Amino acid sequence: MSPDQAPDESSGGVPPDIRAQVMPAVLDELARWGVERFSVEALAERHRLDAAMIYRHWGDRQRLIVDAALADLEAWDVQTDTGSLRGDLESLARNVTARINTEIGRTFLRALVMGHGGRHDEETRMMFWRARFAVARRLIDRAKERGEVRDGVSTLAAVQIVLAPINIRALYSDATIDDEYCTAVIDMAYHAIARK
């Protein structure tokens, strides 16, 4: 099967045993080479996987990278619906921080933002960031429906107020993001967007 063929979606998704075998290898390759130099063939060779099998299930490198990114999102999209804006912001910030404080989480974040590639790699990054935004947007939209967000607040800006400080710190430092910093980000975000 060639890289240009569509993935086999007739089985209702990638079998769990194949996903469990491939996803750690994808994260390892992204950590080593970033998005620009990521190659399905190199991944298959280095991790003793069948490249044809990968193409059969994912179709191309972009889908594979984005699938890994979406799987990574599951690590911080847990229990963010607490019933209050403050609680949701705290849950989101702490989940993101917990993931970023792992070696894989920080490396994966860096792999998806560093370097300048071609159009294909920019599209891959944008797909990843749109997926992240969608997770956080649900939190803001729920708070707006409850009347907890002040008028005129941009959803994009609200999401960025929460995620940007944590991401920036992780990109420029190997130091653990501590609870005090996380609490400061939560307070800043809450006071910036909450209806008084």
Side-chain angles (χ1 to χ4, degrees):
M1 171 173 266
S2 79
D4 298 326
Q5 287 181 287
D8 177 12
E9 296 173 350
S10 60
S11 62
V14 180
D17 60 323
I18 292 176
R19 179 176 294 283
Q21 186 180 17
V22 173
M23 284 297 116
V26 173
L27 293 174
D28 180 65
E29 288 297 298
L30 286 168
R32 287 175 191 244
W33 309 109
V35 173
E36 286 79 20
R37 293 176 57 199
F38 182 89
S39 159
V40 171
E41 289 72 18
L43 164 102
E45 183 178 336
R46 218 177 330 273
H47 295 273
R48 295 183 176 90
L49 298 169
D50 179 11
M53 176 269 299
I54 293 170
Y55 283 122
R56 185 169 53 253
H57 289 290
W58 281 277
D60 60 31
R61 69 188 280 279
Q62 184 179 39
R63 285 186 186 188
L64 183 59
I65 292 168
V66 171
D67 191 31
L70 293 176
D72 189 65
L73 288 178
E74 293 171 9
W76 56 270
D77 184 28
V78 287
Q79 300 176 343
T80 53
D81 190 357
T82 66
S84 74
L85 174 60
R86 172 74 192 200
D88 287 359
L89 291 173
E90 184 170 347
S91 180
L92 177 66
R94 294 200 190 288
N95 288 347
V96 170
T97 299
R99 182 61 176 157
I100 284 178
N101 277 337
T102 68
E103 183 179 351
I104 289 176
R106 190 164 300 210
T107 301
F108 192 58
L109 175 67
R110 289 175 177 172
L112 287 169
V113 297
M114 298 294 211
H116 300 285
R119 181 174 171 270
H120 180 83
D121 294 320
E122 182 62 23
E123 287 175 8
T124 303
R125 284 193 179 86
M126 290 312 297
M127 289 173 74
F128 168 74
W129 289 112
R130 278 194 296 269
R132 276 202 165 188
F133 175 71
V135 170
R137 178 185 191 125
R138 290 194 294 269
L139 179 157
I140 302 301
D141 287 346
R142 285 193 307 264
K144 282 183 175 181
E145 288 171 11
R146 292 189 301 257
E148 295 180 278
V149 176
R150 66 180 173 78
D151 294 335
V153 169
S154 157
T155 301
L156 177 60
V159 168
Q160 290 174 334
I161 288 170
V162 180
L163 298 181
I166 296 169
N167 286 329
I168 292 296
R169 186 146 180 183
L171 290 172
Y172 291 102
S173 172
D174 288 328
T176 299
I177 299 171
D178 60 24
D179 192 61
E180 183 179 347
Y181 183 78
C182 193
T183 299
V185 169
I186 295 162
D187 288 342
M188 175 186 68
Y190 180 77
H191 290 298
I193 67 179
R195 186 182 298 278
K196 304 299 186 232

